[in-house]
Amino acid sequence: MSAKSETILVLDFGSQYSQLIARRIRECNVYSKVMPFSTSPETIRTEAPAGIILSGGPASVYEPGAPQIDPGIFELGVPVLGICYGMQLIIHTLGGQVAPGSAREYGRAVMNITDHSDLFKDVSASLKVWMSHGDKVVKTPDGIKCLARTTNTEYAAIRIEGRRIYGIQFHPEVVHSEEGSRIIANFCRRICGCNGSWTMSSFIERTITEIREKAGANQVILGLSGGVDSSVAAALIHKAIGKQLTCIFVDNGLLRKNERPRVEELFARNFQMNLVTVDATNRFLDKLAGVDEPEAKRKIIGHEFVQVFDDAAATIPNAVFLAQGTTYPDVIESVPINGNPSAMIKSHHNVGGLPKDMKFKLLEPLSALFKDEVREVGRQLGLPEDVVMRQPFPGPALAVRHLGAVSKRTLDILREADAVMVEEVKAAGFYYKTWQAFAIFLPIRTVGVMGDLRTYDYVIALRVVESSDGMTADWVDLPDELLRRISNRIINEVRGVNRVVYDITSKPPGTIEWE
């Protein structure tokens, strides 16, 4: 191996928790990187990691076609920690045997630690941990030492003596496992020797230098949406190269209330950035007229955005780089990775929707960061908290929160209703506690009575969900009084609405957005 870096690699075997493992490592101020399980020892050697973690996964190691690992990874001379499937794979690869257990172990279990020397240093003797397995170790390879056990699992944690290879049958990365963060920290800091130098201040300092070196004297353009990622990317690049950055803000007529003046005030006037605003409202609405199929709306919006953005970019001389607010989950989820059972493509992410003949070079300064890290970078760069903590907003904007074909009138109805809802949710203290809270326009009209008059107006649905990553979500049980206040205000203040309903569907089976 070449000189060791301050990086822990997470080899992904299809676990739903692989990104969470990487985030927990970052919380120890150690840089982490997720790579597919099929990554060769030669490629890993070039990364010069301080350690390697093998994730869990849904397969059984003895099944035909189950993900396996190159045994050469165990010869690289760096510590290895296998979690759940990863531990069983260590046993299986090094000459032991794994078989179906007589009793499966899912959910919380009490684990008793028998060795506190390194992985469990300063950890309590008995812990509640989160188990998720139906297989168990029935034959151990040479040199194994048991570090912990439960009533159902004799080898809940193991070490291969003399080789710095560890395995744990539980999931320390989930909040259900007591002292899981300390266990991960022990592996990263105590066993792998990382000093904990990965901080957002060090990231900012290093990235500013990299941006300056990469951009040189060239101009950089960035599509500024007003969301967290593009806002932080703009602030970071501006800190590095100042007036060499030009942000392009496209008003497509599908944005939230007061979005355009808010962006212009913050970035052009407060931060003194070069900002080009393009009012393309009529262009987008003309193209969307009469289109009610969700995917067709998305494609029209995506195609028009590229055209409008290209036209604006052509007016900026010496523009060589296109900057994006791509984040690390975007990279993991958007790029197909050979042999990675959990890989999937999300075409609506930045990294999945670029034209093949793009004339610009890419600049993606946030592509190594998770969302919480992006927010912290934004804070350190002086962005206001209401920008840093803003909830996710879909790329196609209100078009996917407006069922059916859009029009200026009905979009205005949705904009006003959404503004009322967000204002009330913020005032009640729920906005920053939830993943997303927004209104949806339903293209149906219902009979109502307002005063002594019969009305025949539209319906607004309210959607509030809690989630950690957007992959799964549950609806939030808002207080009755808050829902009553939101409903009353929308019906009284937003002309064209006479009925408000609340969405109580989780994901799955529903999605967070309605389209």
Side-chain angles (χ1 to χ4, degrees), residues 149-416:
R149 57 172 52 93
T150 72
T151 53
N152 289 328
T153 305
E154 182 181 355
Y155 296 99
I158 58 100
R159 178 176 64 232
I160 307 294
E161 297 285 48
R163 300 190 66 181
R164 295 195 298 171
I165 298 174
Y166 298 78
I168 52 179
Q169 189 59 73
F170 62 98
H171 289 275
E173 69 274 20
V174 302
V175 295
H176 311 294
S177 290
E178 295 176 343
E179 302 184 46
S181 295
R182 180 169 295 177
I183 295 166
I184 291 173
N186 279 341
F187 178 74
C188 297
R189 305 286 290 272
R190 184 179 299 276
I191 294 171
C192 298
C194 296
N195 60 27
S197 59
W198 171 257
T199 64
M200 290 307 95
S201 58
S202 69
F203 168 83
I204 292 171
E205 184 179 345
R206 181 171 59 253
T207 305
I208 285 173
T209 300
E210 292 172 355
I211 291 170
R212 287 171 179 163
E213 290 176 352
K214 187 171 184 178
N218 297 301
Q219 293 291 312
V220 177
I221 57 174
L222 179 145
L224 183 62
S225 70
V228 178
D229 300 336
S230 69
S231 297
V232 174
L236 181 58
I237 297 169
H238 183 257
K239 178 96 171 171
I241 59 175
K243 293 299 184 179
Q244 286 175 248
L245 170 68
T246 298
C247 295
I248 299 174
F249 177 76
V250 177
D251 184 350
N252 56 14
L254 305 168
L255 304 176
R256 290 167 285 195
K257 186 177 180 180
N258 295 327
E259 188 78 352
R260 179 172 164 180
R262 190 190 67 83
V263 168
E264 290 175 336
E265 175 67 26
L266 176 61
F267 293 97
R269 286 184 276 278
N270 287 2
F271 275 88
Q272 298 294 302
M273 291 186 192
N274 293 330
L275 178 64
V276 175
T277 299
V278 182
D279 187 349
T281 298
N282 293 335
R283 180 170 172 173
F284 275 85
L285 294 186
D286 287 347
K287 293 285 186 179
L288 289 167
V291 179
D292 60 3
E293 203 280 316
E295 192 61 24
K297 288 195 287 186
R298 287 177 181 272
K299 288 179 179 178
I300 289 170
I301 293 165
H303 179 268
E304 283 305 302
F305 179 85
V306 170
Q307 298 300 313
V308 172
F309 189 87
D310 278 352
D311 291 345
T315 67
I316 301 168
N318 198 27
V320 174
F321 289 92
L322 170 64
Q324 295 194 128
T326 306
T327 62
Y328 195 41
D330 294 339
V331 174
I332 296 172
E333 295 170 354
S334 301
V335 181
I337 303 175
N338 252 354
N340 185 347
S342 69
M344 60 182 176
I345 304 171
K346 291 186 175 178
S347 62
H348 59 279
H349 279 321
N350 293 333
V351 290
L354 296 172
K356 293 180 180 178
D357 59 350
M358 188 182 71
K359 62 182 178 179
F360 299 107
K361 298 178 182 177
L362 272 182
L363 182 62
E364 298 177 307
L366 307 180
S367 61
L369 300 186
F370 287 102
K371 194 75 165 189
D372 54 334
E373 295 171 323
V374 172
R375 296 187 196 279
E376 181 56 30
V377 168
R379 288 190 186 95
Q380 295 195 23
L381 291 171
L383 287 173
E385 193 70 7
D386 65 337
V387 172
V388 170
M389 291 305 295
R390 208 168 194 199
Q391 293 180 350
F393 189 61
L398 295 181
V400 294
R401 294 179 178 176
H402 181 304
L403 275 62
V406 301
S407 70
K408 185 179 186 307
R409 176 175 178 264
T410 53
L411 281 167
D412 285 342
I413 290 173
L414 174 56
R415 244 186 295 271
E416 294 297 328

Side-chain angles (χ1 to χ4, degrees), residues 116-133:
H116 285 83
S117 60
D118 46 18
L119 189 61
F120 296 113
K121 183 74 173 177
D122 299 323
V123 172
S124 302
S126 180
L127 301 173
K128 291 187 178 73
V129 296
W130 191 258
M131 292 284 191
S132 180
H133 66 101

Side-chain angles (χ1 to χ4, degrees), residues 430-469:
F430 282 93
Y431 183 84
Y432 298 118
K433 296 177 183 177
T434 55
W435 180 260
Q436 278 172 279
F438 57 91
I440 305 103
F441 177 88
L442 305 186
I444 56 174
R445 300 170 77 184
T446 67
V447 173
V449 178
M450 299 182 76
D452 293 324
L453 298 177
R454 175 186 183 275
T455 62
Y456 191 53
D457 286 329
Y458 292 107
V459 179
I460 290 291
L462 307 179
R463 181 83 160 132
V464 185
V465 298
E466 54 187 0
S467 176
S468 60
D469 54 14

